[in-house]
Every structure is written in structure tokens, then in C-alpha cells.
């Protein structure tokens, strides 16, 4: 169907409406439909229409032009009947059938030709075009159109794809008729734009949701309630009904109704209203701009063609110039701005430009300034050039300037940024219910059962909170309660969270800090950098002996250990290669002194190690309490404490712990979905395989880069110790900073860790796969070469 529309396509050129005499119309109405009353002739280009005020209702009697295609009338009639059946609250005219139950009748006109006659109910109200278009009214219009489209979703008809000049999908057939545009510059603009639309936009639109739509919700075809000025009382005139992109309905309405100055905000109101009833897809929102411009362009061409016909001049006078002005206005605003606005009102993330598009969002500098104002300057940002992100997918982050970054740093998006399964689970649960654990609902129980099943036997009681810090805070309270002791052992430079009690046990980045007497730091078991190295005998025993020292110090102050709190990945110590048996030995000593073992799995839990679901199990230690945070919700804030039933019950006997948000159904849905993905996508195995490959490749750089002192880790948690010389192992701290910034500039995110901040921390989402290793290595190689 690519041949141009023929002159016959311009059906409305026929301006010979039927000319029935009033008395014959009255007789016909009485005879066919059994209605009588006052008839008033209505304006129509092609048909002959009457308003009929009967005793207790009003109708519109439509006598169709002789050229009218009965199949198209049938489409409209069936469409209206479908809406009435599916959602009777959508205000559209009702089809009144003839006495014999037909939707229309054929009647011979004064010209001797046969005309279709139909009766519809009349919807009273003020035409939208005659009222002031407030934001509330436009939102209601959008909502009304959405309700109509929702009702029409399942409707099909053989004539749904009939020939229609105004059909955006048939723009290629209209394209040759730009020849009718008299003004050369105007014609050139139109042709250039239409060619771009036809070649670059239209093919992609075939992916959008399609259905039969009204397709002509302009100022004449929508009426508002006489009583409620912001209420839509009716959508009428289904003459342009067609199967098209659903999104074309609000697009056509926006173009026709709002053409003029300052269309941006009003269009946004209309779209927001539509989206609130029938949620739009991102692609639909992104093509709206083009559809609105296309509608203006089509109007301009059709009117020019129409006006070029012998009886043409004067047709819809003023409409063409307005459409042209609107098109120019839209093009001046530009696709980027309009699209950004539509995205904003629908609460989609800002548009993510493609590389080369240039920055389309608020520029990073002004955002940074606003941030300093709103959040204070103390909240630091990573990297010399802050990362201004707008979206993520798998291990990728996409920036406002169109660049993309390979994320080898973040473990919160454990199964990958914006994983669709997790996103859907969150959205679906949020759409159904979000409440607290004082009520009975399934998700929290499902989630607790699934979590417990991943742990060794005996772990059967979950307490849900909102963060890793809260989990550690609760775990410390539990440990103190069940042991009756106060002391806490932590590893030097360890970090466990932000609450007041957890902060007391944080030794991270505080070498000179004197912790409270009941907190003791243990020397980190780091055979590369610590006091005991290769050749120093039984390293596990020598490092573990430090626990004896700590316990003795506590004892000297009259304190017994309540707990050892341990991140078994020793992440903030730079992911050292912990001597085998070390942790089991420390755990034994702590337990012997009356304490319990709290495994802080916030960093290392959830399959990251590649060999075990829980980090501490890689050390052969079964803890007493496990705390979870960060990765378990893939970004949705949830935290949990899991322990044995007797521990939790003991705790519960003494104190009631209730967290308002902890264990809420949406968080649990996120958590369940994360577990699904880890299982379904085999992410633990991926962590093992990809992690090993990544380490091998990094080690492969050691020949060329003397900066690499040591490469270690497990699964997808890797520490790369940078040194000024391999001999002296002097930490290359500043150099590490330069490396992470250089890599960031080259599109790869890593962090640095360890007491000297000289260890590159490589801890990507578990969606990081083999194909991501090469770009990572390339960026690392370049950064090291640049030192
Ligand atoms: N424990 C560890 C080991 C952590 O790394 C962190 C956060 N980085 C926390 C606890 C605290 O978690 P949150 O920030 O969710 O409170």
C-alpha cells in the first residue's frame, strides 16, 4: 500500500451531503426508529445530521453520504457497541437500533441513491474547543481517552485498517501530495521532516502497541460536562476510527487541540492523565514528539491538497497556518526537550542519549550545584569527574552525556542493574499491597523460607529490617542478650554500618580512634601486607592468636566477648588471601570465651564467592547470626538478621522488635525475585567462572605492569594490590586513585580499598560475564600504562 492516495482518497472532496427534506426525515425517524420530536439540522461537510429532541431523550440522526463505505460505518457502530459492553461508564454515544434491531437502515434519498441512516444518543455538553483548557481538564481528557482506548483494546473489525488520509501509518502515501504546498520554504520543511519520519521513525513504530483507536479527539469531538467544567462528558464522532498505535490517540489530540503557543506543559498534562489510567511504555513516550509533529505535518499536507482542488480554497480556513505554526513551535523546542518533559511527567528516568547524541539532560555542573545546596557538600561523590547516571542495565550504567560505563564496582545491583524480573516483582507487589509485618501476608513468609533454605541447618528464624546497619545493630543486641556479655571483636579497618551502636565497632578509616573499652580490633589476616607473611610459619595460627590478645585485654577490663562481627570477605582490608583455618580458629576462641559469631554478609553474601551462597561458609565456619543487606534487594532497601529459633525467641521474650518497613511485601517481593534470578541465571557459577577468568587476565598484565603487586579474591570479589615496588610493597595509594579515575574516564568503574586505599576493589554485579572481561582489562591496562 505504498501508492499515493488517489484523488478518490480525498473522499471529503465530495461536498454533496445528502439533502433529505425535514418532513421526510421526521417520517423516516418515526418509521425506522420509532422516535419523534424536534429536529435541528447540524453542520456537516459530507453527511446530513440532525439533533433530535424527543420527549425524554436526545439523539443524533446521521444520514451518510452516498460514498460512505458500509464496512467503515459498521466498524464505527461495532466499536461503539463494544465500548458500551466492555465499559459502560466510558462516555460515548450509544447506538440506537432500528425497530427491527439493525444498527442502521438503507434509505433512498431525493437523489435516488441509497444512504445509510443511523441513530445515536446525543451527549450534551460544551465542546472542549470552546472552553479554557486547565491542567485538570487536560489530565481528565488524557484519562478519558485512556479509558476509551482501554475499552477498545480487544476490539477488532475487518475494516479496522481501511484507507484514511489522516492515518499516520499511511504517511508515505500522502507524501507525494506535498506538491500542493504553494510556499516553497514551507514545502521544503515539510518534505524534509516527513522523509525523516517515514524513513527513520515509522518503521520502529510497528513495535508499539496497536489497536483500534478513536483517532480524532479534537476540540469539536470531546464535550465537557455542563455541571463539572473539568469533567469529560463525552467523546463523539468516531468517523476517523482506525487500527493504529494506541499512543496515536493522545498524540492526535495533543496536536489538534493544543496547537499554538506553549504546547509543552498542556501536552504534558494530557499525557500524564493518559498514563495514569493506561500506563505508557517507555518507547511510546519517546515517540510521542514525532507523532504530534507528524499529525501537524499531515494536517498541513491534507489541507494544502484539499485547498488546491477546484472547489477547495477556504477549506478549514486558518487551520493550516495554525498547524504550521504548531509544527514550527514543536521543532523549535526540539525532540529532546519535549521527550524529556513527557518522560518527567510519566516519571520515567531521564532519556538516555545514545553515544554521539550529546548531553540531553540537565548538565552535570548545575546538578552538582543543586546537590551541594540541597544535600550539603560533606556527602562525597566518587571520582574526580562525578558520574552522572540516568539508567542501568546488567553491568552497564548509562550517563547523562550519552556515555556508558562498565560497572565493576557495585554489589547492590547484585543480579544486574534494573533487572527486569526484579523490577516487575517490585512493581507488581507495589500495585497490589504494601504494608507491615503486623498483618498476615504471604510474601514475608515465602521470603523467610527461601532465605533460610540457603543457610546451614539450624538457621530458621528471620528478623527483617531495612539496611545492613540495622541488621548489624539488631545482631549486636541479640548477641549481647543471649550471651549476657558486652564485648565485641572486629577486624581492624572493618566497616559495619551507621547506627550509634554499630558505629562504636567501626574501625574503618580511623587508625587513631580509640574505641570504647568493650570493642577490640583484630589484626587483619593479610599475608601480603600484614605482620606475618610467607615463611613466618603457621600463618592461620599466628593471625588467630591476636584474638587471644584481644580477649585477654577485654578480660583485663572485666569484659567478656558477646560477639565476633566479621565480614568474611575482609573487603575493607583489601580482600586479603586469608590463611586457611584462620577464621575457624578465631571463632573457636571467641566461642570459648562466651561469645557468638555474627557473619556480616552484607558484602560477600548471596553467591558472590562463586563456591558458596554465604561468604563465611567458604572459611568452613557456621556462624550463630547472619546479617544481610545491600545486595539482597538488588537496590530495594531490605536487610535481615537470621539466626536460630532459640536465639530469636530469647530475644523476643525480652524485647519486642518491630520495624515498620522491615519485611514489607514489596521488599520481600524484590528479595524473592533476586533469589529467582540467582538460581535461574546460574549467577553463582558465573561468579566462579567469570571471577577466575578476570583474575587470570589481570595476572596476565603483571609482566608489563610492575605496579601490580598482588591479585587475589574469590568469585566476583577481587583485590588488586598496587605497589610502588614489588620488593618493598610500598602501597601505591595516589597511583590507585589515578588508576580508578583513569578507568572511569575510559568507561570502567572500580573502587579502591584497604587501610592504604591502594587496593583496587573489583566487585561487579553478578551479571558481569566473560564478554565484559576484555573491556575491563583494556581500561585497566591503559590506566596502568598512564601511571
Ligand atoms: N556491613 C558491611 C560489611 C558493609 O559493607 C556495609 C555497607 N557498606 C554495611 C554493613 C552497612 O550497610 P548499610 O549501608 O546498608 O546500612
Amino acid at each position: 500500500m505504498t501508492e499515493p492516495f488517489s484523488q478518490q482518497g480525498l473522499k471529503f472532496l465530495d461536498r454533496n451531503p445528502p439533502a433529505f427534506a425535514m418532513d421526510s426525515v421526521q417520517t423516516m425517524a418515526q418509521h425506522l426508529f420509532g422516535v419523534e420530536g424536534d429536529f435541528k439540522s447540524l453542520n456537516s461537510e459530507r453527511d446530513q445530521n440532525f439533533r433530535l429532541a424527543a420527549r425524554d431523550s436526545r439523539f443524533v440522526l446521521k444520514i451518510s453520504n452516498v460514498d460512505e463505505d458500509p464496512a467503515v460505518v459498521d466498524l464505527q457502530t461495532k466499536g461503539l457497541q463494544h465500548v458500551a459492553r466492555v465499559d459502560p461508564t466510558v462516555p460515548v454515544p450509544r447506538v440506537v437500533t432500528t425497530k427491527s434491531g439493525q444498527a442502521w437502515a438503507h434509505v433512498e434519498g431525493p437523489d435516488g441513491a441509497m444512504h445509510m441512516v443511523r441513530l445515536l444518543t446525543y451527549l450534551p455538553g460544551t465542546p472542549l474547543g470552546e472552553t479554557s483548557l486547565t491542567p485538570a481538564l487536560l489530565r481528565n481528557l488524557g484519562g478519558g481517552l485512556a479509558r476509551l482506548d482501554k475499552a477498545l483494546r480487544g476490539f477488532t473489525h475487518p475494516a479496522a485498517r481501511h484507507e484514511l488520509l489522516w492515518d499516520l501509518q499511511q504517511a508515505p502515501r500522502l507524501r507525494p501530495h506535498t506538491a500542493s504546498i504553494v510556499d516553497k520554504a514551507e514545502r521544503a520543511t515539510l518534505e524534509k521532516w516527513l522523509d525523516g519520519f517515514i524513513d527513520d521513525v515509522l518503521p520502529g513504530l510497528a513495535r508499539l502497541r496497536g489497536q483500534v483507536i478513536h483517532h480524532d479527539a479534537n476540540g469539536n469531538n470531546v464535550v465537557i460536562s455542563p455541571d463539572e467544567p473539568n469533567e469529560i462528558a463525552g467523546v463523539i464522532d468516531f468517523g476517523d476510527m482506525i487500527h493504529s498505535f494506541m499512543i496515536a490517540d493522545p498524540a492526535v489530540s495533543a496536536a489538534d487541540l493544543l496547537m499554538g503557543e506553549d504546547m509543552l506543559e498542556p501536552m504534558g498534562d494530557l499525557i500524564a492523565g493518559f498514563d495514569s489510567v493506561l500506563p505508557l511504555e517507555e518507547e511510546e513516550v519517546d515517540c510521542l514528539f514525532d507523532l504530534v509533529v507528524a499529525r501537524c505535518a499531515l494536517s498541513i499536507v491534507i489541507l494544502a491538497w484539499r485547498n488546491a482542488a477546484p472547489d477547495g480554497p477556504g477549506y478549514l480556513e486558518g487551520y493550516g497556518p495554525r498547524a504550521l505554526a504548531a509544527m514550527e513551535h514543536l521543532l523549535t523546542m526540539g525532540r529532546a526537550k519535549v521527550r524529556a518533559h513527557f518522560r518527567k511527567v510519566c516519571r520515567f528516568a531521564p532519556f538516555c542519549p545514545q553515544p554521539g547524541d550529546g548531553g540531553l539532560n540537565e548538565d552535570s555542573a548545575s546538578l552538582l550545584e543543586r546537590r551541594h545546596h540541597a544535600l550539603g557538600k560533606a556527602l562525597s561523590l566518587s571520582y574526580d569527574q562525578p558520574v552522572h547516571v540516568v539508567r542501568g542495565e546488567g553491568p552497564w550504567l548509562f550517563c547523562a552525556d550519552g556515555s556508558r560505563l562498565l560497572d565493576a564496582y557495585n554489589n547492590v545491583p547484585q543480579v544486574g542493574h534494573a533487572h527486569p524480573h526484579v523490577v516487575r516483582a517490585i512493581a507488581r507487589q507495589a500495585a497490589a499491597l504494601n504494608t507491615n509485618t503486623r498483618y498476615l501476608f504471604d510474601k514475608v513468609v515465602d521470603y523467610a523460607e527461601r532465605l533460610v533454605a540457603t543457610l546451614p541447618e539450624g538457621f530458621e528464624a528471620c528478623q527483617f529490617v531495612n539496611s545492613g546497619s540495622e541488621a548489624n545493630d539488631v545482631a549486636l543486641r541479640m548477641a549481647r542478650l543471649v550471651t549476657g556479655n558486652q564485648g565485641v571483636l572486629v577486624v581492624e579497618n572493618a566497616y559495619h554500618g551507621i547506627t550509634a551502636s554499630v558505629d562504636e565497632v567501626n574501625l574503618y578509616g580511623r587508625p587513631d580512634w580509640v574505641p570504647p573499652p568493650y570493642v577490640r580490633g583484630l589484626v587483619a589476616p593479610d599475608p601480603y601486607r600484614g605482620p606475618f607473611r610467607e615463611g613466618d610459619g603457621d600463618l592461620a595460627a599466628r593471625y588467630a592468636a591476636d584474638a587471644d590478645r584481644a580477649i585477654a585485654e577485654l578480660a583485663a577490663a572485666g569484659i567478656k566477648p558477646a560477639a565476633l562481627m566479621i565480614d568474611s570477605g575482609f573487603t575493607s582490608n583489601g580482600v586479603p588471601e586469608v590463611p586457611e583455618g584462620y577464621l575457624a580458629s578465631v571463632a573457636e576462641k571467641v566461642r570459648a570465651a562466651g561469645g557468638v559469631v555474627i557473619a556480616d554478609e552484607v558484602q560477600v553474601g548471596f553467591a558472590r564467592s562463586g563456591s558458596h551462597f554465604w561468604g563465611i561458609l567458604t572459611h568452613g565456619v557456621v556462624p550463630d547470626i547472619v546479617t544481610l543487606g545491600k545486595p539482597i534487594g538488588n537496590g530495594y532497601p531490605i536487610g535481615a538478621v537470621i539466626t536460630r529459633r532459640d536465639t530469636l525467641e530469647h530475644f523476643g521474650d525480652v524485647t519486642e522488635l518491630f520495624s515498620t518497613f522491615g519485611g514489607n511485601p514489596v521488599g520481600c517481593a524484590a528479595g524473592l525475585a533476586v533469589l529467582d534470578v540467582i538460581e535461574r541465571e546460574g549467577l553463582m557459577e558465573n561468579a566462579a567462572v567469570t571471577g577466575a577468568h578476570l583474575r587470570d587476565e589481570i595476572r596476565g598484565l603483571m609482566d608489563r605492569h610492575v605496579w601490580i603487586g598482588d591479585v587475589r579474591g574469590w568469585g566476583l570479589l577481587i583485590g588488586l594490590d598496587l605497589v610502588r615496588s614489588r620488593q618493598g610493597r610500598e602501597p601505591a595509594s595516589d597511583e590507585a586513585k589515578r588508576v580508578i579515575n583513569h578507568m572511569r574516564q575510559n568507561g570502567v568503574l572500580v573502587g579502591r580499598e584497604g587501610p592504604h586505599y591502594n587496593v583496587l576493589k573489583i566487585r561487579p554485579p553478578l551479571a558481569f560475564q566473560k564478554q565484559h572481561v576484555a573491556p575491563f582489562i583494556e581500561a585497566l591496562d591503559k590506566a596502568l600504562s598512564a601511571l
Side-chain angles (χ1 to χ4, degrees):
M1 274 233 304
T2 47
E3 77 276 13
F5 281 116
S6 65
Q7 201 69 10
Q8 214 188 340
L10 268 181
K11 280 186 189 154
F12 55 75
L13 269 181
D14 182 351
R15 277 210 212 170
N16 301 319
F20 284 76
M22 186 63 97
D23 56 348
S24 72
V25 171
Q26 285 169 337
T27 317
M28 178 202 315
Q30 162 68 31
H31 172 71
L32 287 175
F33 299 99
V35 290
E36 53 189 348
D38 289 339
F39 282 77
K40 185 169 171 270
S41 180
L42 296 173
N43 265 343
S44 172
E45 285 262 313
R46 328 185 41 230
D47 304 328
Q48 194 181 13
N49 296 340
F50 297 89
R51 192 168 77 198
L52 161 57
R55 199 172 311 122
D56 42 18
S57 19
R58 283 186 284 175
F59 303 96
V60 175
L61 185 83
K62 292 174 90 73
I63 307 174
S64 297
N65 192 288
V66 65
D67 284 336
E68 194 63 271
D69 179 354
V72 174
V73 172
D74 192 56
L75 162 74
Q76 294 160 19
T77 308
K78 297 257 167 64
L80 286 173
Q81 289 172 331
H82 180 93
V83 173
R85 217 168 31 243
V86 172
D87 186 355
T89 67
V90 175
V92 293
R94 293 284 176 267
V95 176
V96 182
T97 52
T98 63
K99 284 187 200 164
S100 59
Q102 305 303 308
W104 73 77
H106 263 124
V107 173
E108 189 180 333
D111 49 358
M114 299 304 285
H115 296 265
M116 300 167 79
V117 179
R118 331 174 240 165
L119 192 68
L120 301 173
T121 56
Y122 174 81
L123 299 179
T126 315
L128 201 56
E130 294 171 17
T131 63
S132 93
L133 299 172
T134 62
L137 177 57
L138 287 168
R139 279 195 296 273
N140 284 345
L141 170 64
L145 281 178
R147 290 180 57 218
L148 175 56
D149 285 338
K150 225 171 158 172
L152 280 170
R153 250 184 335 197
F155 174 64
T156 57
H157 191 278
R161 288 179 179 271
H162 66 97
E163 179 172 87
L164 182 74
L165 289 182
W166 299 92
D167 185 355
L168 294 155
Q169 302 161 104
Q170 298 184 28
R173 305 185 59 200
L174 197 62
R175 168 67 181 80
H177 297 290
T178 51
S180 300
I181 299 173
V182 181
D183 185 290
K184 269 193 187 156
E186 186 185 325
R187 192 196 312 153
T189 310
L190 253 291
E191 289 178 344
K192 180 161 175 264
W193 197 86
L194 268 178
D195 287 343
F197 177 75
I198 290 165
D199 293 343
D200 306 331
V201 181
L202 203 52
L205 299 183
R207 285 197 302 266
L208 303 185
R209 285 182 284 182
Q211 64 165 75
V212 173
I213 59 172
H214 178 276
H215 200 228
D216 199 19
N218 62 33
N220 297 320
N221 294 343
V222 179
V223 291
I224 61 166
S225 160
D227 316 315
E228 289 285 341
N230 284 331
E231 292 295 320
I232 304 300
V235 182
I236 57 178
D237 192 348
F238 282 64
D240 278 3
M241 200 183 206
I242 190 115
H243 190 286
S244 182
F245 327 111
M246 185 197 73
I247 190 69
D249 235 356
V252 163
S253 188
D256 286 7
L257 185 68
L258 303 173
M259 58 173 59
E261 293 289 297
D262 298 330
M263 293 170 71
L264 191 64
E265 295 284 337
M267 287 194 299
D269 291 327
L270 194 151
I271 297 308
F274 192 99
D275 180 61
S276 65
V277 174
L278 212 170
L280 292 172
E281 293 174 1
E282 213 162 343
E283 269 191 300
E284 290 171 330
V285 172
D286 284 345
C287 73
L288 260 168
F289 169 83
D290 289 285
L291 290 180
V292 177
V293 178
R295 173 70 175 193
C296 294
L298 258 54
S299 302
I300 296 163
V301 180
I302 293 171
L303 264 75
W305 185 19
R306 176 71 186 80
N307 279 316
D311 63 340
Y315 176 71
L316 282 182
E317 208 162 25
Y319 183 77
R322 279 178 58 218
L324 183 66
M327 183 168 168
E328 280 167 355
H329 168 56
L330 287 161
L331 295 181
T332 306
M333 278 192 287
R335 183 183 282 120
K337 181 175 171 179
V338 177
R339 196 183 254 185
H341 185 65
F342 288 153
R343 277 183 163 256
K344 194 168 182 171
V345 298
C346 296
R347 297 277 175 247
F348 277 113
F351 180 67
C352 189
Q354 299 300 306
D357 274 6
L360 293 179
N361 296 283
E362 174 180 18
D363 73 77
S364 304
S366 75
L367 186 60
L368 186 62
E369 202 174 307
R370 281 175 54 212
R371 172 182 158 118
H372 283 336
H373 247 331
L375 309 179
K377 284 191 177 173
L379 183 63
S380 66
L381 280 158
S382 300
Y383 308 106
D384 291 346
Q385 187 196 343
V387 171
H388 179 175
V389 272
V390 288
R391 133 185 328 268
E393 189 184 321
W396 297 101
L397 282 169
F398 299 88
C399 300
D401 65 1
S403 60
R404 85 178 176 167
L405 299 165
L406 180 61
D407 185 358
Y409 180 72
N410 287 291
N411 65 337
V412 172
Q414 180 83 341
V415 299
H417 289 278
H419 194 290
H421 181 62
V422 182
V423 171
R424 268 195 301 273
I426 292 171
R428 285 175 183 169
Q429 186 58 47
L433 172 77
N434 203 9
T435 182
N436 66 70
T437 48
R438 292 243 192 261
Y439 303 107
L440 195 58
F441 55 87
D442 59 353
K443 284 288 182 311
V444 70
V445 181
D446 291 348
Y447 187 41
E449 287 172 354
R450 283 276 292 276
L451 276 179
V452 159
T454 64
L455 278 156
E457 213 166 315
F459 282 86
E460 38 190 22
C462 297
Q463 169 77 49
F464 289 104
V465 287
N466 307 286
S467 65
S469 302
E470 279 189 13
N472 284 336
D473 190 289
V474 170
L476 282 178
R477 281 171 67 185
M478 278 182 181
R480 285 175 170 149
L481 201 95
V482 294
T483 62
N485 301 335
Q486 288 302 307
V488 180
L489 301 187
V490 285
V491 175
E492 275 172 1
N493 208 51
Y495 175 79
H496 293 290
I498 61 169
T499 71
S501 71
V502 174
D503 191 48
E504 286 181 350
V505 309
N506 275 338
L507 302 180
Y508 185 73
R510 292 168 152 176
D512 303 326
W513 189 65
V514 181
Y518 46 84
V519 177
R520 289 291 133 210
L522 303 180
V523 167
D526 179 355
Y528 184 73
R529 216 164 255 303
F532 312 117
R533 303 184 182 182
E534 217 177 66
D536 288 343
D538 182 346
L539 294 183
R542 296 198 72 176
Y543 278 108
D546 197 45
D548 297 326
R549 187 251 335 145
I551 292 166
E553 278 182 26
L554 285 177
I559 300 165
K560 283 183 168 182
L564 165 74
M565 180 171 273
I566 191 94
D567 160 16
S568 59
F570 296 82
T571 321
S572 50
N573 303 100
V575 201
E577 199 83 59
V578 179
E580 204 179 321
Y582 162 80
L583 199 55
S585 170
V586 174
E588 202 180 303
K589 293 173 196 289
V590 170
R591 283 174 172 147
V596 297
V597 176
I598 300 171
D600 176 344
E601 292 281 337
V602 170
Q603 288 283 346
V604 290
F606 263 60
R608 181 163 293 277
S609 79
S611 58
H612 295 76
F613 204 81
W614 301 105
I616 196 157
L617 301 181
T618 62
H619 296 269
V621 175
V622 175
D624 302 289
I625 302 174
V626 173
T627 60
L628 321 176
K630 292 191 4 169
I632 67 173
N634 215 50
Y636 190 92
I638 44 179
V641 184
I642 312 180
T643 183
R644 278 184 270 278
R645 186 166 312 287
D646 53 352
T647 306
L648 189 70
E649 281 173 2
H650 184 171
F651 187 64
D653 288 344
V654 180
T655 171
E656 193 198 335
L657 195 112
F658 168 69
S659 164
T660 302
F661 294 130
N664 73 72
V666 176
C668 292
L672 282 162
V674 170
L675 289 170
D676 290 343
V677 178
I678 292 176
E679 273 172 35
R680 293 177 191 174
E681 298 184 8
L683 294 185
M684 190 152 96
E685 200 197 343
N686 179 60
V689 174
T690 307
H693 177 50
L694 184 53
R695 267 188 301 281
D696 283 350
E697 293 291 305
I698 296 172
R699 286 192 184 114
L701 295 176
M702 287 182 86
D703 286 348
R704 288 193 292 120
H705 297 292
V706 290
W707 298 100
I708 304 178
D710 193 26
V711 184
R712 60 227 175 195
W714 42 343
L716 279 171
L717 177 65
I718 298 175
L720 201 176
D721 201 312
L722 293 179
V723 292
R724 296 216 168 114
S725 82
R726 286 194 185 147
Q727 201 59 38
R729 300 187 183 177
E730 189 194 341
S733 309
D734 292 343
E735 292 83 353
K737 184 173 182 201
R738 275 154 54 198
V739 167
I740 65 164
N741 279 300
H742 194 283
M743 289 181 78
R744 178 254 178 273
Q745 293 311 115
N746 273 288
V748 176
L749 296 185
V750 291
R752 59 185 187 128
E753 259 304 357
H756 311 288
Y757 293 107
N758 68 312
V759 180
L760 297 192
K761 180 164 68 172
I762 303 159
R763 187 193 51 180
L766 300 189
F768 192 97
Q769 288 172 328
K770 198 160 179 201
Q771 68 266 29
H772 304 116
V773 171
F776 177 94
I777 293 295
E778 194 186 320
L780 176 62
D781 191 8
K782 276 190 190 155
L784 291 171
S785 302
L787 283 180

